[in-house]
Amino acid sequence: MRIEQHLRQIFGFNTFRPGQQETIESILNGEHTLSMLPTGTGKSLCYQLPAYLLPGAVIVVSPLLSLMQDQVEQLKMKGEKRVIALNSFLHFKEKTAALAQLHRYKFIFLSPEMLQFPHVLQALRSLSISLFVVDEAHCISQWGYDFRPDYRLLGQVRKQLGSPLTLALTATATKKVRKDILEKLQLTNVTEWVFSVNRPNIAIKVEQLSDSIEKQERLKELVSFFHKPGIIYFSGRKAAEEGSWQLKKAGITRTAFYHGGMNTEERLLIQHQFLNGELDVVCATSAFGMGINKQNVRFVIHYQMPSQLESYLQEIGRAGRDGKPSIAVLLYVPGDEKLHEFIAEAEFPDEGQIRQISEHKIALRDVQPPLTEIQERFVAHYMKEAKQNNEQPAAFISQVRTDLLQEKADKRMAMKEWIVSKTCRRAAYMRHFDEKNLPLKQPQCCDQCGLDLNQFKNRSQAKQVNGRPNWRQVLSELLPEK
Amino acid sequence: MSCLEAVLLLMLKKVEGERTSSAVFHLLKGKKSAQTIQDAHLYKLTKWFQTAPFLTMSSFEQLLANLLGSSYLTGDVQRPYVTEKGLDEMNKKFEQTSVFPFLSGWQLSGTAPLFFSRLQLLVQVISHFSYGEKVYYPVTRDEALQVWVKKYLKQFSALKENFSSSLQKELIFVFEKQQENPECFLIRCSGHGQTAKTIAQAAEALDIEQTEYWFRFLHIQHAMIKIILESPSELPLLYKVLSDIYVSVPLTESARQTAELLQKGMTLKQVAALRRLKTATVEDHVIELALNDPLFSIRPFIEEKKEQAVKRVISPGTNRQLKPIKDQLPDHSYFEIRLVLAKESRENS
């Protein structure tokens, strides 16, 4: 019973969500655990709660800086002070100070790059580590959505830390990927909790349109019609800005855009405005959503198809965290998949760039045209791997590139097949994750099984955006007189 | 015409015929090179220094191309000249916005962003505290800022409940002494019942063009800083936000180090050797000192007679390119000529 008491006292919840209790209990029994819980069901609770029952520190490896910061912020808002994030954005001085004080922290968040530094590992080794958490564990697998080369070294790191009790968390991993996760982490005797990726409260609709003008019109129609708040995903920064502008022109004034090209402060503000209910709609790229804990998102629209079903599920999973009916709509114009072909190509260095590095020994920074950050990390990682395997670097890296591109092309195909298929959308995505049981019949399932859009209609009065009061009023509202 | 375009025309007009457009680009970006710092002073463009850090070379060239296309400029991207039509439009724009009299890029570009970030977080913390709200998203994740606010509040812990009203009064005092709509500032604050807007959102909400909002926002910050520095005793809370970040003589870090060594009595060559710099670089530092520090004497580097000779050649209104001056003064080094120009331009500003 004591874990339920903690749930109430620290986290203020009365009941667990599916999968949380099972995961927590198996950790407390000292079993290595891999948990696959559907997106939006509170994965972080699975390590946060045990942390309070275990004597030592909890190390959390997280792939994205912003995700890490969101989690740190959420813990701090719960009143937890013993939390720190170690990442490359810390200044040297701060890092040294933090490392010297590491024993004072209960939660230590790290990016995988940080674990490559000997002095960081050294500092971690001096701690008593109760739990080693790999968040978004699918990043470790080449076959997984959002593969991060640095994640592949986590198995080695884990050993160097004395093979502590380990929890791997993911929302989207096929059987193949799950097997890969365990292998790469060098884990045996693992308790696996695999829950259905199905989110019954999210209705699914795919709409095929003939061209982009029609799509634009349909977007305005849908967004005006739907109960808000909602998120619209676009495949690029420009498209997201343009979309938000179009919607505002159509009278949906409480709309903003969000993408990786904005600076940190601005992104944070949009996030806070959305969380505080000051925005109805965010037009975003995939950079938006991870780690954002908003319960009442009522719709997610994809203005372009995502590059794979895994991303699709992650993104629609941001709707309906409160368990209430929500809807996901994907707008598709034949040929939309082409865009992802270009995006995928651009993620990797081309043959010329690879040769400059491996044959002409040009420093990564001086390659022409210059490498993006992701490309640079890719090359650096596989140069090392080629050396370790005694492979000729150029050929080795080219081969990896070809394999990964093929993998992406396959995933793109699967996504497209899902879009054009004429069977139950829910059953189809569950099959993709090797689930044997079919979903129960439900009234608001998908456009194939039947679905009533009116259920998602906006019933409340549109919020009026009043002109701001004059500055004296604004100021005395912000800083009241006693 | 956007406000940024008007600023560009104003700056291009001052340097036309003598500098290429990239000199203006570096000025707006706030490049800390000797050339740019001297240009800022020589052409009396210091107020615009580092006031458009968001520019990139390509966005800058795009702006110039547009201005050329609308015949506000003539010539080419490298060496544009401002047309009559351009000047007319520019003046119209500035009639509407003013030429931002409080703006002081060179002096305050280093200070203003930190001042704003501190004040923004302070307002948020005090605001939520006054309403008894304990759980909220801090407007910044910068831990150094968060630590600063905690320390700051400790100093004023005696004020407690009255902090909010005191800060409100100080802000009203400051806002009333300057010309911009205080909303330019307040709309960027988070606190009870409102989340700060981004720059683009603020411009839209106030119904002004984005770069105009940007310059108004900078302007109100610079104005606030100057007012606070003038009245520290009336504004104890705000003064404390500012006092440890404001420096009265802005210098690049490298020039500051050189200044310290010179003050110990070292020669230019000794400084260069010790710091492993080229003599020319150390000379640049000396020019920077001459431009900025009113107490700095150029005498150790040039005799009185030679200084007078330069002054005779550079009668007001003459071209400020070095070559023609040097041609008339074959016995002077370029460094000596630049020194006198630097001193003159500080004394005239």
Side-chain angles (χ1 to χ4, degrees):
Chain A
M1 275 308 93
R2 57 192 191 125
I3 76 168
E4 269 151 8
Q5 271 168 12
H6 275 86
L7 181 69
R8 256 193 306 278
Q9 274 169 11
I10 302 172
F11 299 94
F13 299 126
N14 284 319
T15 50
F16 286 107
R17 295 209 175 150
Q20 289 178 331
Q21 188 164 9
E22 292 85 342
T23 306
I24 291 168
E25 278 172 356
S26 86
I27 293 168
L28 293 176
N29 283 338
E31 300 157 18
H32 296 311
T33 308
L34 183 153
S35 272
M36 175 165 141
L37 308 178
T39 49
T41 52
K43 275 181 291 158
S44 40
L45 188 89
C46 294
Y47 61 81
Q48 288 179 358
L49 197 153
Y52 291 98
L53 298 169
L54 295 166
V58 173
I59 292 180
V60 185
V61 184
S62 191
L64 265 185
L65 180 69
S66 60
L67 178 63
M68 210 185 291
Q69 289 174 327
D70 288 332
Q71 284 163 338
V72 169
E73 192 171 276
Q74 279 159 24
L75 273 167
K76 282 189 177 165
M77 282 175 75
K78 285 184 191 116
E80 179 57 66
K81 292 201 167 79
R82 298 167 300 164
V83 41
I84 188 165
L86 292 174
N87 53 54
S88 49
F89 279 71
L90 282 184
H91 296 299
F92 178 75
K93 257 196 191 155
E94 299 172 317
K95 227 181 287 185
T96 321
L99 286 177
Q101 310 266 326
L102 221 47
H103 56 276
R104 289 177 35 191
Y105 297 100
K106 184 82 198 173
F107 296 93
I108 302 166
F109 288 83
L110 289 146
S111 59
E113 300 90 80
M114 288 300 292
L115 285 168
Q116 302 308 313
F117 294 114
H119 62 288
V120 174
L121 267 182
Q122 189 59 44
L124 289 173
R125 262 205 296 269
S126 68
L127 304 176
S128 128
I129 300 171
S130 282
L131 185 61
F132 183 75
V133 183
V134 181
D135 202 7
E136 311 291 340
H138 53 267
C139 293
I140 209 170
S141 170
Q142 218 182 115
W143 320 119
Y145 137 78
D146 206 16
F147 168 52
R148 312 263 159 162
D150 286 324
Y151 254 57
R152 305 240 288 189
L153 305 165
L154 288 182
Q156 222 173 300
V157 168
R158 216 191 125 252
K159 261 203 179 136
Q160 287 170 305
L161 293 177
S163 305
L165 180 64
T166 299
L167 167 66
L169 285 169
T170 179
T172 42
T174 58
K175 212 189 248 171
K176 188 175 169 189
V177 172
R178 293 198 295 269
K179 192 167 156 257
D180 209 20
I181 292 173
L182 299 184
E183 253 174 53
K184 293 282 157 21
L185 284 177
Q186 306 172 23
L187 284 176
T188 46
N189 282 329
V190 179
T191 307
E192 276 192 67
W193 293 105
V194 178
F195 289 84
S196 173
V197 292
N198 188 17
R199 292 278 307 275
N201 66 319
I202 305 174
I204 304 209
K205 192 166 196 306
V206 176
E207 288 190 18
Q208 189 156 332
L209 302 151
S210 56
D211 58 35
S212 57
I213 295 168
E214 208 180 289
K215 190 151 89 170
Q216 214 174 69
E217 289 310 308
R218 185 60 180 152
L219 178 72
K220 287 188 237 171
E221 244 171 60
L222 284 173
V223 177
S224 316
F225 177 82
F226 279 151
H227 194 59
K228 295 168 198 53
I231 304 172
I232 307 165
Y233 282 105
F234 293 82
S235 59
R237 294 170 181 182
K238 272 233 173 79
E241 287 190 21
E242 169 74 16
S244 110
W245 188 68
Q246 291 280 351
L247 290 175
K248 275 193 212 174
K249 251 191 3 188
I252 304 151
T253 43
R254 304 200 333 151
T255 300
F257 59 83
Y258 179 106
H259 57 64
M262 297 157 67
N263 65 38
T264 327
E265 290 82 28
E266 296 197 318
R267 283 195 310 222
L268 204 58
L269 290 181
I270 299 296
Q271 200 172 313
H272 291 171
Q273 290 169 11
F274 193 55
L275 287 164
N276 291 339
E278 292 172 32
L279 287 172
D280 289 328
V281 179
V282 175
C283 296
T285 60
S286 57
F288 184 73
M290 243 202 206
I292 294 180
N293 216 341
K294 187 168 173 76
Q295 300 294 312
N296 66 338
V297 174
R298 293 278 72 91
F299 70 83
V300 169
I301 295 177
H302 280 89
Y303 194 69
Q304 278 101 8
M305 66 175 245
S307 59
Q308 47 182 301
L309 264 170
E310 284 89 334
S311 335
Y312 176 72
L313 285 183
Q314 286 260 7
E315 284 161 8
I316 68 166
R318 277 144 207 167
R321 288 182 174 215
D322 54 8
K324 293 184 183 156
S326 311
I327 185 164
V329 181
L330 189 153
L331 301 176
Y332 176 73
V333 171
D336 275 358
E337 59 274 15
K338 288 271 187 312
L339 185 69
H340 288 290
E341 221 176 299
F342 297 127
I343 297 176
E345 294 266 348
E347 264 178 50
F348 303 104
D350 62 32
E351 297 288 335
Q353 289 168 315
I354 294 173
R355 244 176 294 131
Q356 288 178 46
I357 301 152
S358 61
E359 286 168 24
H360 305 295
K361 308 283 176 234
I362 291 172
L364 290 183
R365 267 151 216 255
D366 301 328
V367 171
Q368 286 302 325
L371 298 171
T372 64
E373 206 189 310
I374 297 173
Q375 291 171 341
E376 208 176 298
R377 254 187 280 155
F378 172 86
V379 177
H381 178 86
Y382 286 106
M383 286 282 278
K384 235 201 265 167
E385 205 167 298
K387 218 177 258 166
Q388 280 167 2
N389 301 349
N390 273 326
E391 301 260 6
Q392 199 272 324
F396 182 75
I397 296 176
S398 294
Q399 190 56 48
V400 175
R401 175 179 180 271
T402 311
D403 292 348
L404 290 178
L405 277 175
Q406 186 54 49
E407 181 70 20
K408 282 184 187 266
D410 295 346
K411 286 181 180 275
R412 204 158 54 232
M413 261 325 274
M415 181 78 224
K416 199 198 151 178
E417 271 162 26
W418 182 84
I419 289 172
V420 297
S421 108
K422 298 276 177 243
T423 60
C424 171
R425 307 265 175 218
R426 206 172 290 277
Y429 76 58
M430 287 164 72
R431 262 201 310 279
H432 182 80
F433 285 93
D434 315 292
E435 289 188 30
K436 302 235 159 42
N437 300 331
L438 284 179
L440 297 170
K441 279 253 175 279
Q442 59 179 86
Q444 303 299 331
C445 182
C446 64
D447 57 309
Q448 298 296 326
C449 299
L451 150 86
D452 177 14
L453 268 194
N454 281 315
Q455 297 294 320
F456 306 97
K457 188 177 167 183
N458 190 13
R459 283 167 217 291
S460 54
Q461 220 31 302
K463 287 196 191 86
Q464 279 297 313
V465 182
N466 297 319
R468 283 172 65 90
N470 79 40
W471 68 268
R472 286 173 201 275
Q473 281 166 283
V474 174
L475 185 59
S476 67
E477 177 79 13
L478 268 178
L479 299 171
E481 272 172 83
K482 278 285 157 193
Chain B
M1 175 174 291
S2 77
C3 190
L4 178 59
E5 286 173 320
V7 171
L8 263 179
L9 291 184
L10 179 147
M11 296 174 75
L12 287 167
K13 180 72 195 161
K14 293 223 178 153
V15 305
E16 68 183 11
E18 298 180 18
R19 293 286 186 275
T20 61
S21 60
S22 61
V24 169
F25 172 75
H26 294 314
L27 271 165
L28 283 168
K29 287 284 280 187
K31 187 178 179 188
K32 299 265 179 357
S33 74
Q35 182 67 53
T36 301
I37 293 168
Q38 287 168 46
D39 281 352
H41 290 86
L42 234 44
Y43 295 101
K44 301 209 165 49
L45 292 170
T46 45
K47 71 189 283 182
W48 307 105
F49 187 84
Q50 210 175 344
T51 53
F54 50 82
L55 279 178
T56 61
M57 200 52 181
S58 71
S59 65
F60 178 74
E61 282 176 353
Q62 189 56 51
L63 276 166
L64 290 183
N66 293 347
L67 290 168
L68 284 161
S70 339
S71 315
Y72 295 145
L73 287 176
T74 166
D76 59 48
V77 169
Q78 264 66 49
R79 297 191 170 274
Y81 288 82
V82 184
T83 62
E84 280 301 314
K85 188 178 164 201
L87 285 180
D88 279 352
E89 283 299 311
M90 176 189 91
N91 287 329
K92 263 189 230 155
K93 185 73 201 177
F94 284 136
E95 264 165 41
Q96 181 200 328
T97 64
S98 83
V99 200
F100 308 111
F102 285 102
L103 198 65
S104 320
W106 170 249
Q107 255 199 319
L108 297 181
S109 282
T111 307
L114 187 52
F115 167 73
F116 173 70
S117 301
R118 283 180 170 188
L119 194 50
Q120 191 188 32
L121 183 60
L122 182 63
V123 166
Q124 185 188 29
V125 171
I126 298 299
S127 178
H128 287 302
F129 176 78
S130 314
Y131 287 90
E133 295 159 352
K134 293 206 172 100
V135 176
Y136 54 88
Y137 300 99
V139 71
T140 175
R141 283 172 169 171
D142 186 333
E143 298 222 1
L145 275 176
Q146 296 177 356
V147 169
W148 174 83
V149 164
K150 268 181 212 146
K151 279 193 189 147
Y152 175 93
L153 288 173
K154 251 185 211 149
Q155 298 173 58
F156 292 105
S157 54
L159 272 174
K160 268 201 180 132
E161 273 73 31
N162 294 322
F163 202 105
S164 175
S165 9
S166 306
L167 187 57
Q168 192 209 77
K169 282 200 194 83
E170 289 194 15
L171 284 169
I172 291 175
F173 178 95
V174 173
F175 286 149
E176 282 178 341
K177 284 202 160 173
Q178 55 83 51
Q179 64 185 53
E180 295 293 347
N181 176 1
E183 265 288 75
C184 289
F185 189 87
L186 292 173
I187 201 167
R188 303 292 303 286
C189 291
S190 284
H192 172 75
Q194 81 165 37
T195 307
K197 300 263 189 273
T198 66
I199 288 168
Q201 289 176 321
E204 195 184 312
L206 299 173
D207 198 21
I208 46 183
E209 170 264 316
Q210 218 181 99
T211 67
E212 180 179 329
Y213 172 71
W214 169 256
F215 280 103
R216 286 184 186 274
F217 175 56
L218 272 188
H219 190 214
I220 193 171
Q221 291 176 68
H222 290 193
M224 288 171 79
I225 293 173
K226 287 189 176 167
I227 294 162
I228 294 166
L229 290 173
E230 278 165 13
S231 323
S233 54
E234 280 104 328
L235 304 166
L237 297 177
L238 290 174
Y239 184 72
K240 212 54 198 183
V241 174
L242 195 58
S243 54
D244 62 320
I245 45 176
Y246 176 75
V247 285
S248 55
V249 180
L251 288 175
T252 59
E253 183 49 36
S254 194
R256 196 180 300 282
Q257 287 176 23
T258 294
E260 273 171 30
L261 296 174
L262 289 174
Q263 228 157 30
K264 286 182 187 156
M266 292 175 88
T267 65
L268 283 185
K269 288 223 164 65
Q270 286 169 329
V271 173
L274 183 75
R275 298 199 56 206
R276 297 185 192 181
L277 297 170
K278 287 187 192 145
T279 314
T281 307
V282 179
E283 286 177 356
D284 284 342
H285 293 160
V286 173
I287 302 285
E288 201 184 317
L289 290 166
L291 283 167
N292 291 291
D293 187 348
L295 301 175
F296 183 82
S297 162
I298 65 170
R299 188 59 64 242
F301 310 99
I302 182 170
E303 303 157 25
E304 170 123 39
K305 242 167 71 193
K306 279 186 129 178
E307 181 181 344
Q308 293 306 332
V310 180
K311 280 186 178 166
R312 275 194 298 278
V313 174
I314 51 161
S315 57
T318 50
N319 195 310
R320 276 151 294 193
Q321 280 174 309
L322 289 175
K323 186 77 173 53
I325 304 172
K326 168 82 175 153
D327 288 343
Q328 295 180 58
L329 299 165
D331 294 335
H332 283 63
S333 70
Y334 275 110
F335 173 56
E336 288 169 327
I337 298 170
R338 284 164 64 209
L339 258 182
V340 181
L341 284 173
K343 186 185 167 203
E344 288 281 291
S345 93
R346 187 182 53 71
E347 282 171 354
N348 293 335
S349 65

